[in-house]
Amino acid sequence: AARRDRIPAEDALAAGSPPVIARIAAISVDGVLVIPTQIVGFIIAGTLILSADESDASLGLDAIIGGLVVLAAALAPTIYTTLAHASTWQATVGKRAMRLAVAEADSGRALTLGRSFVRAVLFVATVYAGGAIGAIAALLIGDTPTALFVMILLAIAGLFLVPAVARPDGRCIHDLMAGTRVLDDPR
């Protein structure tokens, strides 16, 4: 059988929802790919910014380039996810490895670049919101590094996992808001 580049909408609508653990595994694979890129970017940016001539009142070229590198490193996960979900794979490397794909929830069609961008931004916003809620909770119950770490993880997991586990279609908050769903890839 010939390989199909995109999942036909009718197949996407008929596809089942994957277990939450498959989505967590996919995010973990993607994190292993993206986070080192961010770390290297931040190190390069920091080196450039710190090497800027402090005696010069104007912004040096090193500082400007360093600022641009920081911006690129910060946006890397959003750019990666946007392009991957709008690609013919309809998935990031992690989702592809777990045999998952992303499609429009109501039509089953592949995501446009615009909808994929909205979904990626909403996902990042959910993670940051969970982190902020966790940090506030940790401050209220005890400001120790362990409490902070645990509360942030619990808050992020709560925002991500509770809807996915509670809903029969496994859609998370960012999926609901973006009108998307993750599905078992029928290809």
Side-chain angles (χ1 to χ4, degrees):
R3 183 184 158 278
R4 294 180 289 181
D5 287 335
R6 294 221 181 240
I7 301 169
E10 59 276 2
D11 291 350
L13 286 173
S17 297
V20 173
I21 193 71
R23 290 183 72 170
I24 292 170
I27 290 170
S28 299
V29 169
D30 292 328
V32 167
L33 296 174
V34 175
I35 291 171
T37 304
Q38 288 185 292
I39 292 170
V40 168
F42 290 139
I43 290 170
I44 292 169
T47 303
L48 287 169
I49 291 168
L50 292 174
S51 72
D53 186 5
E54 292 179 17
S55 64
D56 186 4
S58 65
L59 279 177
L61 184 59
D62 287 347
I64 292 170
I65 293 171
L68 292 173
V69 172
V70 165
L71 183 62
L75 294 175
T78 302
I79 294 166
Y80 163 69
T81 304
T82 297
L83 295 176
H85 289 160
S87 73
T88 56
W89 275 9
Q90 293 178 248
T92 60
V93 172
K95 282 187 181 71
R96 184 75 171 192
M98 297 297 123
R99 301 188 50 87
L100 308 176
V102 181
E104 290 183 0
D106 57 348
S107 69
R109 290 190 311 254
L111 301 187
T112 62
L113 196 58
R115 187 176 297 238
S116 184
F117 176 73
V118 168
R119 184 182 189 280
V121 167
L122 289 168
F123 174 75
V124 170
T126 302
V127 171
Y128 287 150
I133 292 166
I136 291 167
L139 289 172
L140 294 174
I141 64 167
D143 189 13
T144 67
T146 304
L148 179 63
F149 180 74
V150 169
M151 292 309 295
I152 288 173
L153 280 181
L154 288 174
I156 292 171
L159 285 175
F160 179 77
L161 292 175
V162 171
V165 172
R167 294 181 54 89
D169 60 5
R171 293 171 67 199
C172 296
I173 291 172
H174 58 280
D175 290 313
L176 294 167
M177 293 173 71
T180 61
R181 72 181 268 247
V182 176
L183 50 105
D184 288 318
D185 191 339
R187 290 177 278 195

